[in-house]
Amino acid sequence: MAQRWLVTGCSSGLGYALADAAAQAGHRVAVTARRTEAMDGLARAWPGRITPLALELRDAAQCAEAVHTAADVLGGIDVLVNNAGGGLFGTVEELCDDEVRDQLETLVVGPWRLTRLVLPLMRAQGHGHIVNVSSVAGRMAFPGLAAYVAGKHALEGMSQALAAEVAPHGVRVTVVAPGHFATRYGTALGEARHRLPAYAELTGDMLDACRGMADDPAAGRPEDFATRVLDIVRAGASAPLRIPVGDDAYAYLDIAERAAREELAAARALTRAAPSPQG
């Protein structure tokens, strides 16, 4: 059955592929990007199914206008996909307050704001699906991506609370955690204004890997990501809250889960041991 989608971050990569696949599947899709011309190809390919909207996630007024316009043009919103977001490269010591705030505005506050704006519509109609695009970085850490990791961890925590809050209203929540996909994430990755030589050796390979994502032949295809998200939305209530996408995502998260269990066991052994003698 055709649905009404609002998908953010559709200028390229995962968002563009998802909007294209959703329109091909017969859905009507409001797509957003900072510049609407970046989505002209989608609009031409799917006239009547694609509605391009300008959106800067950090602008509260634009967020409200985008949701209002999408709901007005589509006649409602059944699926919200919070996909927009960019990365910032830098260690905890390298990043200043303004850089951290800017990253969290994009990765956490913006999706939170759009969710808050869409929820009254979904509650009123008695159904809806919110898909928050996270990353394997939402459940593990990578040196040099401190702010990005923090943002994705926060997005997953918000989503977990949200799922419990909106379930009685017929609204579903899914966190999608893609692994390594061939997108422009790495080439668009910003860097801390003040890099420190002390961390260059530790983080250099990670930065190079990020920069090369778009040209990595081993990386997943955005079209495959789009197919999986459509499957997840079709699955409805049977879908789990958090879903990795991509074989490497499962491999990464298997490592993260194993490390978490080992850490918990070590913590239990430490705190249940006899106290050390004082003095």
Side-chain angles (χ1 to χ4, degrees):
M1 186 171 64
Q3 295 173 308
R4 302 158 298 183
W5 290 51
L6 172 58
V7 183
T8 67
C10 295
S11 62
S12 65
L14 302 182
Y16 192 101
L18 177 57
D20 185 62
Q24 186 174 7
H27 305 303
R28 297 174 63 205
V29 190
V31 294
T32 80
R34 290 174 181 169
R35 298 179 299 102
T36 56
E37 57 266 30
M39 303 175 291
D40 284 349
L42 283 170
R44 287 193 300 269
W46 304 106
R49 294 189 189 176
I50 292 288
T51 301
L53 302 172
L55 177 61
E56 165 53 70
L57 266 184
R58 294 167 295 184
D59 186 322
Q62 269 202 351
C63 287
E65 180 63 24
V67 170
H68 174 79
T69 302
D72 186 52
V73 171
L74 302 178
I77 298 173
D78 301 307
V79 181
L80 167 65
V81 182
N82 282 310
N83 167 71
L88 176 64
F89 197 86
T91 64
V92 170
E93 187 178 356
E94 290 170 329
L95 293 169
C96 69
D97 291 353
D98 288 343
E99 289 170 324
V100 174
R101 289 192 189 97
D102 185 68
Q103 180 78 121
L104 296 183
E105 274 280 338
T106 300
L107 298 182
V108 185
V109 178
W112 195 311
R113 181 185 294 125
L114 286 175
T115 298
R116 187 172 61 239
L117 290 165
V118 164
L119 275 175
L121 304 173
M122 292 183 171
R123 286 191 293 102
Q125 65 196 18
H127 66 87
H129 197 157
I130 296 169
V131 179
N132 289 330
V133 179
S134 180
S135 161
V136 293
R139 294 168 70 181
M140 60 191 305
F142 298 91
L145 288 169
Y148 184 78
V149 167
K152 292 303 187 182
H153 272 68
L155 181 66
E156 294 208 8
M158 181 273 275
S159 300
Q160 192 167 3
L162 175 67
E165 294 164 355
V166 299
H169 300 284
V171 180
R172 302 188 303 276
V173 179
T174 303
V175 178
V176 178
H180 190 50
F181 279 85
T183 70
R184 296 207 303 255
Y185 166 84
T187 54
L189 188 67
E191 285 192 60
R193 289 191 293 272
H194 304 293
R195 302 298 308 279
L196 299 173
Y199 296 105
E201 184 176 353
L202 175 67
T203 61
D205 288 346
M206 177 61 65
L207 181 57
D208 290 343
C210 290
R211 295 290 191 214
M213 284 175 62
D215 300 318
D216 185 352
R221 300 296 102 187
E223 296 77 18
D224 295 335
F225 168 85
T227 298
R228 293 304 179 197
V229 173
L230 286 175
D231 288 344
I232 289 165
V233 172
R234 290 191 195 102
S238 65
L241 171 64
R242 296 192 287 191
I243 304 178
V245 177
D247 290 342
D248 67 318
Y250 282 90
Y252 274 122
L253 295 179
D254 278 340
I255 293 170
E257 290 294 326
R258 185 162 58 250
R261 289 193 297 270
E262 291 171 356
E263 183 179 55
L264 182 62
R268 180 179 289 116
L270 177 64
T271 57
R272 289 183 175 177
S276 301
Q278 300 299 310

mmCIF file of all heavy atoms in Angstrom, residues 20-54:
data_model
loop_
_atom_site.group_PDB
_atom_site.id
_atom_site.type_symbol
_atom_site.label_atom_id
_atom_site.label_comp_id
_atom_site.label_asym_id
_atom_site.label_seq_id
_atom_site.Cartn_x
_atom_site.Cartn_y
_atom_site.Cartn_z
ATOM 1 N N ASP A 20 14.644 7.356 -3.954
ATOM 2 C CA ASP A 20 14.426 6.796 -5.284
ATOM 3 C C ASP A 20 13.706 5.448 -5.191
ATOM 4 O O ASP A 20 12.752 5.183 -5.934
ATOM 5 C CB ASP A 20 15.777 6.641 -5.987
ATOM 6 C CG ASP A 20 15.647 6.171 -7.426
ATOM 7 O OD1 ASP A 20 15.039 6.898 -8.234
ATOM 8 O OD2 ASP A 20 16.157 5.083 -7.738
ATOM 9 N N ALA A 21 14.150 4.592 -4.273
ATOM 10 C CA ALA A 21 13.543 3.272 -4.125
ATOM 11 C C ALA A 21 12.114 3.365 -3.599
ATOM 12 O O ALA A 21 11.228 2.610 -4.029
ATOM 13 C CB ALA A 21 14.387 2.417 -3.181
ATOM 14 N N ALA A 22 11.876 4.289 -2.669
ATOM 15 C CA ALA A 22 10.523 4.453 -2.123
ATOM 16 C C ALA A 22 9.563 4.937 -3.200
ATOM 17 O O ALA A 22 8.418 4.460 -3.299
ATOM 18 C CB ALA A 22 10.550 5.420 -0.946
ATOM 19 N N ALA A 23 10.014 5.888 -4.014
ATOM 20 C CA ALA A 23 9.167 6.370 -5.108
ATOM 21 C C ALA A 23 8.904 5.260 -6.120
ATOM 22 O O ALA A 23 7.779 5.100 -6.611
ATOM 23 C CB ALA A 23 9.824 7.573 -5.782
ATOM 24 N N GLN A 24 9.929 4.479 -6.420
ATOM 25 C CA GLN A 24 9.770 3.366 -7.355
ATOM 26 C C GLN A 24 8.767 2.351 -6.832
ATOM 27 O O GLN A 24 8.038 1.715 -7.607
ATOM 28 C CB GLN A 24 11.110 2.700 -7.620
ATOM 29 C CG GLN A 24 11.066 1.617 -8.684
ATOM 30 C CD GLN A 24 12.447 1.080 -9.030
ATOM 31 O OE1 GLN A 24 13.423 1.417 -8.380
ATOM 32 N NE2 GLN A 24 12.532 0.250 -10.051
ATOM 33 N N ALA A 25 8.712 2.201 -5.509
ATOM 34 C CA ALA A 25 7.779 1.257 -4.893
ATOM 35 C C ALA A 25 6.355 1.800 -4.832
ATOM 36 O O ALA A 25 5.447 1.104 -4.359
ATOM 37 C CB ALA A 25 8.258 0.904 -3.486
ATOM 38 N N GLY A 26 6.158 3.028 -5.302
ATOM 39 C CA GLY A 26 4.816 3.592 -5.354
ATOM 40 C C GLY A 26 4.481 4.561 -4.251
ATOM 41 O O GLY A 26 3.360 5.084 -4.189
ATOM 42 N N HIS A 27 5.451 4.851 -3.366
ATOM 43 C CA HIS A 27 5.199 5.792 -2.278
ATOM 44 C C HIS A 27 5.365 7.234 -2.756
ATOM 45 O O HIS A 27 6.070 7.504 -3.734
ATOM 46 C CB HIS A 27 6.138 5.521 -1.105
ATOM 47 C CG HIS A 27 6.079 4.106 -0.614
ATOM 48 N ND1 HIS A 27 4.915 3.519 -0.188
ATOM 49 C CD2 HIS A 27 7.047 3.147 -0.500
ATOM 50 C CE1 HIS A 27 5.162 2.269 0.190
ATOM 51 N NE2 HIS A 27 6.441 2.020 0.005
ATOM 52 N N ARG A 28 4.761 8.157 -2.050
ATOM 53 C CA ARG A 28 4.968 9.579 -2.292
ATOM 54 C C ARG A 28 5.944 10.081 -1.233
ATOM 55 O O ARG A 28 5.757 9.801 -0.038
ATOM 56 C CB ARG A 28 3.652 10.341 -2.240
ATOM 57 C CG ARG A 28 2.665 9.905 -3.320
ATOM 58 C CD ARG A 28 1.327 10.580 -3.128
ATOM 59 N NE ARG A 28 1.439 12.011 -3.273
ATOM 60 C CZ ARG A 28 0.603 12.888 -2.705
ATOM 61 N NH1 ARG A 28 -0.376 12.454 -1.917
ATOM 62 N NH2 ARG A 28 0.758 14.188 -2.893
ATOM 63 N N VAL A 29 6.962 10.813 -1.677
ATOM 64 C CA VAL A 29 8.088 11.108 -0.796
ATOM 65 C C VAL A 29 8.433 12.593 -0.823
ATOM 66 O O VAL A 29 8.723 13.148 -1.890
ATOM 67 C CB VAL A 29 9.342 10.297 -1.205
ATOM 68 C CG1 VAL A 29 10.419 10.420 -0.133
ATOM 69 C CG2 VAL A 29 8.991 8.831 -1.455
ATOM 70 N N ALA A 30 8.402 13.212 0.347
ATOM 71 C CA ALA A 30 8.961 14.554 0.513
ATOM 72 C C ALA A 30 10.427 14.375 0.871
ATOM 73 O O ALA A 30 10.754 13.671 1.827
ATOM 74 C CB ALA A 30 8.221 15.315 1.610
ATOM 75 N N VAL A 31 11.308 14.967 0.090
ATOM 76 C CA VAL A 31 12.748 14.790 0.268
ATOM 77 C C VAL A 31 13.375 16.128 0.623
ATOM 78 O O VAL A 31 12.957 17.176 0.133
ATOM 79 C CB VAL A 31 13.403 14.216 -1.003
ATOM 80 C CG1 VAL A 31 12.906 12.796 -1.264
ATOM 81 C CG2 VAL A 31 13.120 15.088 -2.232
ATOM 82 N N THR A 32 14.376 16.090 1.498
ATOM 83 C CA THR A 32 14.986 17.337 1.932
ATOM 84 C C THR A 32 16.497 17.328 1.729
ATOM 85 O O THR A 32 17.144 16.281 1.737
ATOM 86 C CB THR A 32 14.708 17.630 3.425
ATOM 87 O OG1 THR A 32 15.608 16.867 4.250
ATOM 88 C CG2 THR A 32 13.264 17.332 3.795
ATOM 89 N N ALA A 33 17.008 18.525 1.542
ATOM 90 C CA ALA A 33 18.448 18.769 1.482
ATOM 91 C C ALA A 33 18.624 20.264 1.673
ATOM 92 O O ALA A 33 17.660 21.042 1.592
ATOM 93 C CB ALA A 33 19.047 18.323 0.157
ATOM 94 N N ARG A 34 19.838 20.685 1.941
ATOM 95 C CA ARG A 34 20.076 22.111 2.098
ATOM 96 C C ARG A 34 19.805 22.858 0.800
ATOM 97 O O ARG A 34 19.322 23.992 0.816
ATOM 98 C CB ARG A 34 21.517 22.355 2.556
ATOM 99 C CG ARG A 34 21.781 21.903 3.986
ATOM 100 C CD ARG A 34 23.245 22.021 4.351
ATOM 101 N NE ARG A 34 23.487 21.572 5.713
ATOM 102 C CZ ARG A 34 24.701 21.370 6.223
ATOM 103 N NH1 ARG A 34 25.768 21.581 5.474
ATOM 104 N NH2 ARG A 34 24.833 20.962 7.471
ATOM 105 N N ARG A 35 20.115 22.214 -0.339
ATOM 106 C CA ARG A 35 19.864 22.827 -1.645
ATOM 107 C C ARG A 35 18.929 21.908 -2.445
ATOM 108 O O ARG A 35 19.261 20.763 -2.707
ATOM 109 C CB ARG A 35 21.175 23.023 -2.407
ATOM 110 C CG ARG A 35 22.174 23.960 -1.725
ATOM 111 C CD ARG A 35 23.467 24.091 -2.519
ATOM 112 N NE ARG A 35 24.153 22.813 -2.655
ATOM 113 C CZ ARG A 35 24.154 22.057 -3.739
ATOM 114 N NH1 ARG A 35 23.482 22.446 -4.818
ATOM 115 N NH2 ARG A 35 24.810 20.913 -3.778
ATOM 116 N N THR A 36 17.782 22.435 -2.836
ATOM 117 C CA THR A 36 16.807 21.602 -3.532
ATOM 118 C C THR A 36 17.305 21.149 -4.899
ATOM 119 O O THR A 36 16.891 20.093 -5.393
ATOM 120 C CB THR A 36 15.473 22.340 -3.701
ATOM 121 O OG1 THR A 36 15.696 23.577 -4.385
ATOM 122 C CG2 THR A 36 14.828 22.617 -2.348
ATOM 123 N N GLU A 37 18.201 21.926 -5.525
ATOM 124 C CA GLU A 37 18.670 21.535 -6.852
ATOM 125 C C GLU A 37 19.426 20.207 -6.825
ATOM 126 O O GLU A 37 19.543 19.530 -7.848
ATOM 127 C CB GLU A 37 19.544 22.623 -7.475
ATOM 128 C CG GLU A 37 20.752 23.027 -6.651
ATOM 129 C CD GLU A 37 20.482 24.226 -5.769
ATOM 130 O OE1 GLU A 37 19.321 24.408 -5.345
ATOM 131 O OE2 GLU A 37 21.447 24.972 -5.492
ATOM 132 N N ALA A 38 19.951 19.829 -5.651
ATOM 133 C CA ALA A 38 20.648 18.548 -5.537
ATOM 134 C C ALA A 38 19.691 17.370 -5.713
ATOM 135 O O ALA A 38 20.128 16.239 -5.945
ATOM 136 C CB ALA A 38 21.351 18.447 -4.185
ATOM 137 N N MET A 39 18.378 17.652 -5.628
ATOM 138 C CA MET A 39 17.381 16.587 -5.748
ATOM 139 C C MET A 39 16.569 16.694 -7.036
ATOM 140 O O MET A 39 15.544 16.029 -7.179
ATOM 141 C CB MET A 39 16.452 16.621 -4.526
ATOM 142 C CG MET A 39 17.203 16.484 -3.198
ATOM 143 S SD MET A 39 16.145 16.658 -1.738
ATOM 144 C CE MET A 39 15.721 18.416 -1.821
ATOM 145 N N ASP A 40 17.030 17.530 -7.956
ATOM 146 C CA ASP A 40 16.311 17.707 -9.217
ATOM 147 C C ASP A 40 16.179 16.393 -9.979
ATOM 148 O O ASP A 40 15.154 16.128 -10.622
ATOM 149 C CB ASP A 40 17.022 18.739 -10.096
ATOM 150 C CG ASP A 40 16.799 20.168 -9.631
ATOM 151 O OD1 ASP A 40 15.930 20.372 -8.764
ATOM 152 O OD2 ASP A 40 17.503 21.067 -10.121
ATOM 153 N N GLY A 41 17.207 15.571 -9.945
ATOM 154 C CA GLY A 41 17.155 14.288 -10.644
ATOM 155 C C GLY A 41 16.030 13.400 -10.127
ATOM 156 O O GLY A 41 15.334 12.738 -10.907
ATOM 157 N N LEU A 42 15.847 13.385 -8.808
ATOM 158 C CA LEU A 42 14.750 12.609 -8.222
ATOM 159 C C LEU A 42 13.399 13.141 -8.681
ATOM 160 O O LEU A 42 12.503 12.369 -9.049
ATOM 161 C CB LEU A 42 14.825 12.671 -6.691
ATOM 162 C CG LEU A 42 15.869 11.808 -5.996
ATOM 163 C CD1 LEU A 42 15.950 12.176 -4.521
ATOM 164 C CD2 LEU A 42 15.536 10.328 -6.155
ATOM 165 N N ALA A 43 13.248 14.462 -8.647
ATOM 166 C CA ALA A 43 11.976 15.069 -9.034
ATOM 167 C C ALA A 43 11.644 14.784 -10.499
ATOM 168 O O ALA A 43 10.483 14.523 -10.857
ATOM 169 C CB ALA A 43 12.017 16.574 -8.771
ATOM 170 N N ARG A 44 12.666 14.823 -11.364
ATOM 171 C CA ARG A 44 12.433 14.539 -12.784
ATOM 172 C C ARG A 44 12.104 13.060 -13.011
ATOM 173 O O ARG A 44 11.278 12.715 -13.860
ATOM 174 C CB ARG A 44 13.658 14.922 -13.612
ATOM 175 C CG ARG A 44 13.849 16.421 -13.781
ATOM 176 C CD ARG A 44 14.878 16.714 -14.865
ATOM 177 N NE ARG A 44 16.190 16.134 -14.546
ATOM 178 C CZ ARG A 44 17.150 16.780 -13.889
ATOM 179 N NH1 ARG A 44 16.937 18.020 -13.454
ATOM 180 N NH2 ARG A 44 18.312 16.201 -13.642
ATOM 181 N N ALA A 45 12.763 12.196 -12.258
ATOM 182 C CA ALA A 45 12.547 10.762 -12.431
ATOM 183 C C ALA A 45 11.170 10.319 -11.957
ATOM 184 O O ALA A 45 10.585 9.383 -12.513
ATOM 185 C CB ALA A 45 13.629 9.974 -11.691
ATOM 186 N N TRP A 46 10.660 11.005 -10.924
ATOM 187 C CA TRP A 46 9.397 10.578 -10.317
ATOM 188 C C TRP A 46 8.448 11.770 -10.144
ATOM 189 O O TRP A 46 8.110 12.152 -9.029
ATOM 190 C CB TRP A 46 9.646 9.902 -8.969
ATOM 191 C CG TRP A 46 10.585 8.735 -9.054
ATOM 192 C CD1 TRP A 46 11.882 8.673 -8.649
ATOM 193 C CD2 TRP A 46 10.278 7.463 -9.624
ATOM 194 N NE1 TRP A 46 12.421 7.451 -8.914
ATOM 195 C CE2 TRP A 46 11.457 6.675 -9.514
ATOM 196 C CE3 TRP A 46 9.150 6.899 -10.198
ATOM 197 C CZ2 TRP A 46 11.519 5.362 -9.964
ATOM 198 C CZ3 TRP A 46 9.209 5.587 -10.665
ATOM 199 C CH2 TRP A 46 10.380 4.832 -10.532
ATOM 200 N N PRO A 47 7.976 12.357 -11.246
ATOM 201 C CA PRO A 47 7.052 13.492 -11.129
ATOM 202 C C PRO A 47 5.762 13.072 -10.425
ATOM 203 O O PRO A 47 5.200 12.014 -10.710
ATOM 204 C CB PRO A 47 6.787 13.888 -12.589
ATOM 205 C CG PRO A 47 7.115 12.660 -13.386
ATOM 206 C CD PRO A 47 8.226 11.982 -12.656
ATOM 207 N N GLY A 48 5.349 13.890 -9.470
ATOM 208 C CA GLY A 48 4.141 13.581 -8.716
ATOM 209 C C GLY A 48 4.388 12.722 -7.494
ATOM 210 O O GLY A 48 3.533 12.653 -6.600
ATOM 211 N N ARG A 49 5.545 12.051 -7.447
ATOM 212 C CA ARG A 49 5.854 11.212 -6.276
ATOM 213 C C ARG A 49 6.925 11.830 -5.383
ATOM 214 O O ARG A 49 7.035 11.460 -4.214
ATOM 215 C CB ARG A 49 6.318 9.819 -6.720
ATOM 216 C CG ARG A 49 5.245 9.006 -7.401
ATOM 217 C CD ARG A 49 5.698 7.577 -7.616
ATOM 218 N NE ARG A 49 4.766 6.842 -8.459
ATOM 219 C CZ ARG A 49 4.946 5.597 -8.881
ATOM 220 N NH1 ARG A 49 6.053 4.931 -8.528
ATOM 221 N NH2 ARG A 49 4.061 5.005 -9.650
ATOM 222 N N ILE A 50 7.736 12.722 -5.936
ATOM 223 C CA ILE A 50 8.828 13.337 -5.185
ATOM 224 C C ILE A 50 8.540 14.828 -5.000
ATOM 225 O O ILE A 50 8.258 15.541 -5.970
ATOM 226 C CB ILE A 50 10.176 13.164 -5.908
ATOM 227 C CG1 ILE A 50 10.606 11.693 -5.926
ATOM 228 C CG2 ILE A 50 11.254 14.043 -5.270
ATOM 229 C CD1 ILE A 50 11.069 11.138 -4.596
ATOM 230 N N THR A 51 8.625 15.290 -3.748
ATOM 231 C CA THR A 51 8.465 16.711 -3.434
ATOM 232 C C THR A 51 9.742 17.201 -2.764
ATOM 233 O O THR A 51 10.006 16.864 -1.599
ATOM 234 C CB THR A 51 7.275 16.950 -2.485
ATOM 235 O OG1 THR A 51 6.076 16.472 -3.105
ATOM 236 C CG2 THR A 51 7.134 18.429 -2.156
ATOM 237 N N PRO A 52 10.585 17.977 -3.458
ATOM 238 C CA PRO A 52 11.834 18.472 -2.855
ATOM 239 C C PRO A 52 11.562 19.661 -1.925
ATOM 240 O O PRO A 52 10.790 20.566 -2.253
ATOM 241 C CB PRO A 52 12.668 18.913 -4.070
ATOM 242 C CG PRO A 52 11.961 18.380 -5.278
ATOM 243 C CD PRO A 52 10.521 18.296 -4.901
ATOM 244 N N LEU A 53 12.212 19.640 -0.772
ATOM 245 C CA LEU A 53 12.078 20.712 0.212
ATOM 246 C C LEU A 53 13.462 21.116 0.706
ATOM 247 O O LEU A 53 14.302 20.258 0.978
ATOM 248 C CB LEU A 53 11.230 20.261 1.409
ATOM 249 C CG LEU A 53 9.809 19.778 1.121
ATOM 250 C CD1 LEU A 53 9.207 19.187 2.393
ATOM 251 C CD2 LEU A 53 8.951 20.922 0.602
ATOM 252 N N ALA A 54 13.677 22.413 0.847
ATOM 253 C CA ALA A 54 14.937 22.896 1.420
ATOM 254 C C ALA A 54 14.886 22.749 2.930
ATOM 255 O O ALA A 54 13.887 23.101 3.565
ATOM 256 C CB ALA A 54 15.168 24.354 1.036
#
